[in-house]
């Protein structure tokens, strides 16, 4: 077994890049939609008649080949390349550290404008590679089991910073289409995207939508909408919009089968409760047996993991084409919960299975580098909420920890 690799810095990347998080003052092309790109190219002197073609060419260089220097865009005239270089830049978030887990999971810490930091996780599997990207620095919500929830929202990420995370991983993995190679000739290393990193994607709707549209564009990163999963805690009014404007797969942080428990675990439930949420899900477009909604359910010892919970869960979601994803709780320092025992998780999974649902238990990945779901949190300690604040916001009087009761109040 290999030792987990210590954090290593940018200079050992496959493709060394020099990204200044604050940029150069030039307009960054990364994150512009096709229309946005067209506008800025015209503003920089591209004749309108040529604009469509130039957008296509620049787009392919950036999003298919991963080129970051206008000088390499060899199908453009030299003076036009110089013009682009004078007005624009192609800038990704700055890579601060990269950690590689025993199991091959990679965690990148990146810095964005303002000096803020977010994390990205790459999970390789035999037949695919999933990249877990962040949508916000911190989160406005305060789910009481989530490490990100202990960090106040610092800001929304821009579309460029979101799609930039995918590009950065492609850089590191050497996952771009190479010179002389046809698109899609080699299997993709980043074949799936999950919006399950830091933040609530539906509270940063426009940037998430634009970034995912760019990722889906067939002349660029070219990921099918069915390989992109957006996870939400349940921002009910934005769910239909996600279906219409992004069209990706949906995962719901369900986590409880009564409003009383869900209010404590996922406090947004106090605004839109289980009934409101289920109604919005039933109306999600394209819902079918081949495009099912994933119900994420974190297994917390003594909190939401009884046989009765399992039975209630299948009753609640009856009629919705669904997958249930059981997530053993990933502990973090100071977390007010414990993971349910493997026997409890199996018994819970069995009830769901007998009711006709596949109920995969998510295998925690990258635990040795704190890269597992819900463990992401920037090291910006000044932005940290105290447990008392979280407990107060969640209306959490006391929390049961594996058999004994503890006040959630003290830090
Ligand atoms: N804000 C979005 C997406 C990010 S969280 C959401 O809440 O859905 C991604 C998933 O990880 C969610 O299902 C979340 O509930 C879960 N999660 C958060 N903290 C966790 C932890 N400590 N252990 C296991 N899963 C966790
Ligand atoms: Fe935010 Fe999702 Fe964590 Fe809740 S689970 S605090 S919504 S990131």
């Amino acid at each position: 077994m290999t030792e987990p690799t210590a954090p290593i810095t940018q200079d050992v990347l496959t493709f060394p890049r020099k990204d200044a998080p604050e940029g150069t003052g030039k307009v960054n092309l990364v994150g512009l939609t096709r229309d946005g790109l067209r506008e800025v190219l015209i503003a920089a002197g591209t004749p309108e008649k040529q604009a469509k073609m130039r957008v296509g060419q620049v787009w392919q260089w950036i999003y298919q080949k991963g080129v970051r220097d206008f000088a390499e865009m060899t199908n453009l005239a030299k003076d036009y390349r110089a013009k682009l270089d004078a007005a624009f830049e192609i800038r990704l978030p700055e890579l601060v550290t990269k950690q590689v887990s025993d199991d091959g999971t990679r965690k990148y810490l990146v810095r964005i404008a303002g000096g803020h930091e977010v994390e990205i996780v790459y999970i390789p599997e035999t037949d695919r590679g999933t990249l877990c990207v962040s949508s916000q620095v911190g989160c406005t919500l305060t789910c009481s089991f989530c490490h990100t929830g202990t960090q106040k929202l610092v800001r929304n990420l821009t579309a460029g910073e979101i799609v930039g995370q995918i590009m950065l991983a492609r850089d590191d993995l050497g996952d771009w289409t190479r010179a002389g190679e046809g698109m899609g000739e080699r299997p993709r290393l980043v074949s799936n995207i999950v919006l399950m990193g830091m933040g609530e994607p539906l509270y940063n709707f426009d940037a998430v939508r634009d970034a995912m549209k760019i990722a889906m564009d067939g002349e660029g990163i070219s990921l099918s909408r069915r390989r992109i999963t957006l996870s939400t805690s349940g921002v009910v009014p934005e769910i239909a919009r996600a279906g219409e404007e992004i069209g990706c797969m949906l995962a719901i942080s369900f986590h409880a089968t009564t409003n009383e428990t869900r209010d404590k675990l996922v406090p947004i439930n106090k605004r839109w409760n289980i009934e409101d949420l289920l109604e919005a899900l039933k109306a999600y477009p394209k819902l079918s047996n081949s495009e099912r909604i994933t119900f994420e359910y974190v297994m917390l010892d003594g909190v939401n993991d009884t046989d009765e919970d399992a039975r209630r869960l299948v009753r609640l979601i009856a009629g919705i084409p669904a997958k249930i994803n059981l997530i053993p709780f990933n502990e973090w320092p100071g977390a007010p919960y414990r993971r349910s025992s493997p026997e409890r998780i199996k018994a819970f999974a069995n009830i769901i299975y007998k009711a006709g649902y596949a109920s995969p238990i998510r295998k925690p990945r990258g635990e040795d580098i704190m890269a597992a779901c819900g463990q992401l949190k920037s090291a910006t300690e000044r932005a940290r909420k105290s447990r008392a604040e979280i407990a107060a916001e969640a209306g959490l009087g006391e929390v049961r920890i594996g058999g004994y009761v503890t006040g959630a109040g003290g830090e």
Side-chain angles (χ1 to χ4, degrees):
M1 204 154 79
T2 50
E3 281 292 300
T5 317
I8 47 176
T9 46
Q10 191 177 0
D11 54 1
V12 296
L13 279 179
T14 332
F15 294 74
R17 306 288 201 193
K18 288 183 221 77
D19 281 297
E22 306 298 339
T24 53
K26 298 179 192 174
V27 174
N28 187 10
L29 297 185
V30 176
L32 296 180
T33 58
R34 274 180 183 266
D35 287 348
L37 182 57
R38 181 188 151 86
E39 245 170 65
V40 298
L41 290 185
I42 290 173
T46 307
E48 279 209 31
K49 274 201 283 188
Q50 293 177 9
K52 191 166 181 230
M53 188 169 77
R54 299 288 171 244
V55 166
Q57 288 168 318
V58 172
W59 190 275
Q60 287 188 9
W61 284 115
I62 299 179
Y63 296 114
Q64 205 181 96
K65 304 210 164 61
V67 159
R68 305 275 293 282
D69 186 345
F70 293 101
E72 289 175 44
M73 301 187 175
T74 46
N75 57 356
L76 301 175
K78 263 202 176 143
D79 57 341
Y80 186 61
R81 284 184 242 162
K83 201 184 241 181
L84 294 180
D85 190 44
F88 305 119
E89 58 178 0
I90 302 167
R91 182 168 44 85
L92 307 189
E94 178 195 17
L95 181 61
V96 181
T97 54
K98 170 174 114 175
Q99 288 172 280
V100 184
S101 158
D102 278 354
D103 66 14
T105 302
R106 293 174 183 217
K107 181 167 85 170
Y108 309 98
L109 176 71
V110 301
R111 191 175 293 141
I112 54 170
H116 308 302
E117 289 167 350
V118 287
E119 290 175 327
I120 313 158
V121 178
Y122 175 70
I123 306 150
E125 286 168 278
T126 37
D127 56 342
R128 62 166 138 187
T130 302
L131 193 72
C132 179
V133 305
S134 293
S135 56
Q136 299 182 309
V137 186
C139 189
T140 48
L141 302 173
T142 50
C143 303
S144 49
F145 55 91
C146 172
H147 205 197
T148 308
T150 65
Q151 188 188 341
K152 280 187 173 145
L153 178 76
V154 182
R155 72 167 169 83
N156 278 333
L157 299 190
T158 62
E161 289 161 349
I162 299 170
V163 75
Q165 296 173 52
I166 305 173
M167 297 168 73
L168 189 131
R170 278 194 144 191
D171 265 9
D172 182 47
L173 297 161
D175 201 22
W176 295 107
T177 303
R178 295 174 195 152
E181 187 181 68
M183 221 182 138
E185 220 173 273
R186 258 175 320 126
R188 296 268 172 64
L189 294 171
V190 178
S191 63
N192 293 64
I193 303 290
V194 293
L195 282 150
M196 293 186 188
M198 295 164 71
E200 169 48 60
L202 293 186
Y203 274 148
N204 185 14
F205 191 92
D206 291 0
V208 166
R209 177 201 52 214
D210 289 353
M212 292 308 113
K213 287 278 179 206
I214 294 170
M216 288 182 224
D217 188 293
E219 284 191 13
I221 298 171
S222 196
L223 288 170
S224 135
R225 62 176 189 83
R226 295 175 62 164
R227 289 179 174 266
I228 298 179
T229 303
L230 183 153
S231 173
T232 177
S233 57
V235 185
V236 164
E238 302 290 343
I239 287 178
R241 232 182 122 200
E244 282 152 25
E245 296 182 34
I246 310 175
C248 58
M249 307 303 283
L250 195 63
I252 301 292
S253 292
F254 207 62
H255 305 323
T257 59
T258 64
N259 282 317
E260 195 192 349
T261 306
R262 197 163 190 271
D263 280 352
K264 291 181 180 152
L265 298 180
V266 190
I268 200 176
N269 195 67
K270 290 188 240 168
R271 182 107 182 255
W272 296 289
N273 66 17
I274 291 180
E275 291 70 35
D276 300 332
L277 180 57
L278 292 172
E279 204 176 305
L281 298 183
K282 284 180 184 150
Y284 195 70
K286 300 200 188 76
L287 206 52
S288 67
N289 267 335
S290 62
E291 295 202 18
R292 289 174 287 173
I293 289 177
T294 301
F295 285 79
E296 299 166 279
Y297 198 95
V298 63
M299 297 298 293
L300 303 171
D301 183 30
V303 176
N304 63 355
D305 62 351
T306 63
D307 287 354
E308 189 46 37
D309 279 306
R311 284 192 282 268
R312 255 197 308 265
L313 179 59
V314 291
R315 276 203 301 274
L316 282 170
I317 66 172
I320 302 177
K323 287 185 263 198
I324 299 169
N325 203 332
L326 300 179
I327 317 174
F329 175 56
N330 294 310
E331 295 182 11
W332 36 271
Y337 302 105
R338 295 276 174 271
R339 179 182 291 185
S340 307
S341 70
E343 299 72 43
R344 185 86 296 274
I345 299 179
K346 264 186 228 134
F348 195 99
N350 205 22
I351 293 174
I352 289 166
Y353 179 72
K354 285 198 176 129
Y357 294 93
S359 54
I361 299 166
R362 195 182 290 176
K363 195 169 137 238
R365 297 286 304 260
E367 280 188 300
D368 51 341
I369 55 169
M370 284 276 288
C373 221
Q375 290 185 323
L376 306 185
K377 176 177 180 293
S378 98
T380 334
E381 281 303 312
R382 67 187 145 73
R384 186 157 192 258
K385 282 184 193 173
S386 71
R387 292 221 333 251
E389 272 181 280
I390 299 165
E393 285 174 40
L396 215 59
E398 55 183 30
V399 184
R400 282 198 90 88
I401 297 188
Y404 60 90
V405 176
T406 170
E411 174 69 313

